[in-house]
Amino acid sequence: MNAGIGLRDFAGRIGISPGYLSDLENEKVAPPSEKLILAMARALGIGKDVLLKAAEKVDPEVSEYVAHEPRAADFLRMAKEQEFGNGDWEKLSQLARIAGLGKQEEEKE
């Protein structure tokens, strides 16, 4: 509604029935797939992270990365066991930037 799109129009844009969209909206069915969530975000013109978080889903790009990097999964398990919080993740991000881990911004472009 905030995007100025009616339920039927929005459902048509993302290829689902209006009834299913209504059920999603009223939490009568389980959250949609990640693929559908990404389509919804594109149709609404909003960032995918907002909808993925609301549905408690993981970005498919992240899932794919973790699937191909076993050490990433190990690290995430350790972070869960240690109960990392927001402050911990911010510190890790800062440390990674300081240490120059991964590709640097100019290398990515």
Side-chain angles (χ1 to χ4, degrees), residues 60-74 76-77:
E61 291 177 357
V62 174
S63 296
E64 184 178 325
Y65 179 79
V66 171
H68 290 94
E69 291 290 341
R71 288 170 289 189
D74 293 341
L76 290 172
R77 274 189 216 84

Side-chain angles (χ1 to χ4, degrees), residues 44-62:
L44 293 170
I46 63 173
K48 61 186 175 182
D49 293 335
V50 174
L51 294 181
L52 287 165
K53 183 176 180 179
E56 297 183 349
K57 299 280 186 161
V58 176
D59 186 329
E61 291 177 357
V62 174

